[in-house]
Amino acid sequence: MDAINKFYTSVSQTVSTLSSVFLGNPLTKEYDIAEHIGSAGTEFIWKIYTGCKRSTKEAAAIFVFDKKQLELFTKDEREEICENVRRGVVQLTKIRHPQVLTVQHAMEESRDTIAFATEPVVASLANLLGNTTNVANTGLLAEYKLSEFETRFGVFELLKGVRFLHDEAQLIHRNICTENIIVNRQGVWKLFGFGYCWSKRPPAVPVTNHHFKQRLLGNPASRWTAPELVLENSCNEATDIYSLGILIYTIHSRENIPTQDASSDLYGYKQSVTKLSNQGPPRITAVPEPLRAEVKKMLSVNPQTRPTIPSLLQISYFCDTYVQCLDSLETLFPKDNLEKSEFYKRLAQIIGDFPHRVRLYRVLPSLVKEFVNCSMIPFVLTNILTITGSCTRAEYMQNISTHLRPVMLLDEPVQIMLIFFQNLDVLLKVCPPEEIRVSILPLVYKALESKAQQIQELCLSIIPSVIVHLDKTTIKGGLVPRIKTLCSGTNLVSVRVKCLLCLGQLAPKIEKWVMIDDIVSYLPSVNCREPAVIMAIVGVYKVAFTTEGIGIPKDVLACKVLPHLFPMTIVNGLTVQQFQAIISLIKEFTRKIEDEQGEKLGGKLPISASSSSLGEKQNNGNDLQHSFGRLELTAAASDPYGDFMQSSSTSKPTISSPLQPSIQSSSTLNWNVPPVSTTTKESSNKYNSMLTQQQSTLSMPSSGKIDRPTAFSAQTNTATFPMAGTGMGSAMVPHNWMTGNGPPLMSSGVTSPVLKAPDATSPYGQLQPLIPMPTKTNQNSGKSSVTSPMLSKEDIMEFLQK
């Protein structure tokens, strides 16, 4: 509340002050007047305010002469002072030149004030050099520091302005001083204070010097005036040269020439100027060395020995490269394109050496004029973006943004867009977020839709730096669809790769569902026969998978990502490193599915199993046995073939014979479970073949003779068993398979390996409905060999058909 009260009090006081100053002046009807920023004119009789024209909102400076300053003078003196003030404003209004202050609104007078409006200004040169007499707000003046180049070029411009007065306007200023030099917003030094100028045109009025002897308000000071004018009533071009010499010395030494006042001590004045002419000013060393000798000549008592303005403009101090470049820039606009293009190329090499204020307020206005000539835009745009790089955000928005917006919408020449993208980091630094959406984002959209490859690649390379300034809605609805369209429509591998990389770099800025639905789901549709494109896709998957807050769900991995990645592994042209990168990512995705789905189905897998790769699991017998144990496929559980190898109405028979073939432990067998859709006949054949392989590895005692292994074969329709007897040769024992009541297979003395698994889990029991198994019979110990009859192919086929 206190801050609001202070602000209200300040505004009220300002309004009250302005009302009292401009009371009754007609200028207030057309201009809004604001802040008091400076003072000007001899003895600072003019106050300078900022203003704005109401009809056009054009900025202006309001000069006000307050008649209350004349209260100590007589009526005649007041009238003479006012007449000199009016004459100066009228003369100023008539002159049009770049080095003469421009009047926007002619003089308006009321009972208390005389006022007129000019172009926007900063202050008088005297204010900027430290003299703030009759100035209310000195904050801006304290911050405004003149650089050496600004001083050099300012003096150069004054010389050109005085030359114009002498040669074209046929005027002698006669009152050149720091108070009558006005610095405008662009930093241009302009002549002011023409109340005592003298015309050379006939009929020429007689030259009078009473202004220097009678000290009235606003009269020229004798310390700035040439001796011949004060002492001899003589006036010519050399008179202003003397004043310019005093001005140059004062600017560099920041002190006044120590001369007597002619109005009070004419003899002392004459002595001091003679000494000054012979010895020079006391601090002449403050003047730059190339200009020092010329300043001494300019302060000579003899007008004939003073240099002329053309000769001054040719000295080395003003023939500097930067001075000549800036001077040529202001007169370059009417010249032909070839000459201008060569100039702008040279300017680009030295523009960084100019002071920032000179670049922004002097160089920039000349460059933006060329925007009406499209062929010149590429040449000036580089220089403008160089200036932009040293601007603050406020300076860019106030001085540059409005000029660049229309240029960003141009399609031709194509170099314009290239230059913008090459310097886009400069624009992003000075543009607020709203300006990026308004001006830069349309430029990005245009580039993505361009047909030039270089523009597309440049645009894609800078998008990651643009998205940090954009909101998620703009990225999802405007940027992502255009990148996808370009990726699908281009035939250039480099552009497609950059599109994919760009999509991957959007991950930290967009929401999870946008990344999954709009980007990850889009990748399978990308043509990916080139290794570079494949690796770009892999990179996008990797970024989406590892970015915090995004990740890829297991259902998307299983249904979309992995089916997309597996075919990539066999694409020709991949290097070993690229192949390994794809395989590594596949394994990483597989582990995620394994962990999450395993936990969902009943608990996490053991750490050793979940952390090992799929290939390691397949080669590790213990892990495989453990995995089958979890699926209840071990010997202690139901037989893996029972679900599809037996009929639901037939129970498993029990093998009672102690003479059974020895089968290896289930831990050493490669149990490959057949698919459920396998027919009964196919299952039987597969099982018989598998059993043949197992029985081939059976071992017999060393004392007996080993026959060929037993085999169940659908092709041979035979089944043989190896037998052994003590002290007897081996023999084949016939056996009736269909009835199960045949003679004993072996004598009681025969030893044979037996099946280790219990009867309930015997694989023979599962084949009972298909092929009858032998039953337990009486053994004949007296026979040395047992022979078993074999089933024919027709019997087995008939049985299978039943």
Side-chain angles (χ1 to χ4, degrees), residues 482-492 495-497 499-500 503 522 526-527 533:
R482 286 176 170 85
I483 298 175
K484 291 164 57 178
T485 301
L486 176 60
C487 184
S488 301
T490 184
N491 293 323
L492 300 172
V495 175
R496 182 173 289 130
V497 169
C499 287
L500 294 170
L503 290 174
Y522 162 74
V526 178
N527 183 8
V533 178

Side-chain angles (χ1 to χ4, degrees), residues 38-247:
S39 56
T42 306
E43 299 185 68
F44 302 101
I45 61 175
W46 292 96
K47 290 183 178 181
I48 306 174
Y49 295 83
T50 58
C52 177
K53 192 170 184 178
R54 292 177 179 174
S55 59
T56 62
K57 303 302 179 182
E58 183 181 6
I62 310 300
F63 283 71
V64 180
F65 174 74
D66 191 353
K67 294 181 180 180
K68 293 181 180 179
Q69 302 175 83
L70 307 178
E71 292 178 351
L72 299 178
F73 296 92
T74 65
K75 181 178 180 181
D76 293 339
E77 290 174 339
R78 288 199 296 268
E79 185 60 30
E80 183 178 352
I81 294 171
C82 289
E83 184 59 30
N84 290 331
V85 169
R86 297 188 193 100
R87 182 169 56 250
V89 177
V90 171
Q91 188 64 61
L92 179 66
T93 306
K94 293 179 180 179
I95 303 174
R96 295 291 181 179
H97 189 265
Q99 270 61 59
V100 177
L101 186 64
T102 303
V103 177
Q104 288 185 1
H105 189 90
M107 178 182 62
E108 299 282 1
E109 185 174 1
S110 65
R111 186 186 66 177
D112 298 320
T113 59
I114 297 175
F116 64 99
T118 70
E119 60 183 304
V121 304
V122 176
S124 65
L125 182 60
N127 294 156
L128 299 179
L129 293 176
N131 191 338
T132 57
T133 302
N134 205 15
V135 180
N137 184 6
T138 61
L140 178 62
L141 299 177
E143 298 175 358
Y144 198 102
K145 303 296 182 182
L146 290 171
S147 65
E148 189 277 334
F149 177 80
E150 288 177 297
T151 301
R152 179 186 306 188
F153 195 73
V155 173
F156 178 77
E157 288 180 311
L158 288 180
L159 291 174
K160 294 198 301 179
V162 173
R163 182 179 63 179
F164 166 78
L165 290 179
H166 294 172
D167 298 342
E168 305 295 333
Q170 295 292 301
L171 293 175
I172 307 297
H173 192 283
R174 298 203 305 166
N175 195 15
I176 298 176
C177 58
T178 55
E179 295 93 325
N180 285 330
I181 305 299
I182 306 297
V183 180
N184 71 359
R185 287 271 184 89
Q186 285 71 42
V188 183
W189 291 16
K190 303 217 169 187
L191 291 168
F192 176 69
F194 287 86
Y196 300 93
C197 65
W198 178 74
S199 176
K200 298 193 304 180
R201 290 192 178 96
V205 297
V207 178
T208 59
N209 62 357
H210 71 277
H211 302 296
F212 309 101
K213 297 178 181 179
Q214 182 183 5
R215 292 305 298 144
L216 295 178
L217 184 66
N219 282 3
S222 59
R223 71 174 187 273
W224 293 97
T225 309
E228 66 273 13
L229 181 59
V230 176
L231 301 175
E232 303 174 3
N233 290 342
S234 175
C235 180
N236 54 33
E237 289 87 347
T239 302
D240 287 341
I241 299 296
Y242 183 92
S243 299
L244 287 171
I246 300 292
L247 179 71

Side-chain angles (χ1 to χ4, degrees), residues 360-394:
L360 185 61
Y361 296 110
R362 300 297 301 273
V363 179
L364 180 65
S366 298
L367 295 179
V368 297
K369 291 179 182 178
E370 296 291 350
F371 283 166
V372 298
N373 185 356
C374 291
S375 59
M376 284 292 103
I377 292 179
F379 297 98
V380 300
L381 188 57
T382 302
N383 294 296
I384 292 175
L385 292 175
T386 302
I387 297 171
T388 303
S390 60
C391 290
T392 63
R393 183 168 291 184

Side-chain angles (χ1 to χ4, degrees), residues 519-565:
I519 296 180
V520 173
S521 299
Y522 162 74
L523 294 179
S525 65
V526 178
N527 183 8
C528 56
R529 303 306 301 174
E530 294 289 336
V533 178
I534 291 175
M535 298 314 297
I537 293 175
V538 170
V540 177
Y541 280 139
K542 182 72 173 178
V543 169
F545 184 73
T546 58
T547 300
E548 184 178 358
I550 297 182
I552 304 178
K554 65 178 186 298
D555 56 335
V556 177
L557 288 176
C559 299
K560 295 182 179 179
V561 178
L562 288 176
H564 185 212
L565 285 176

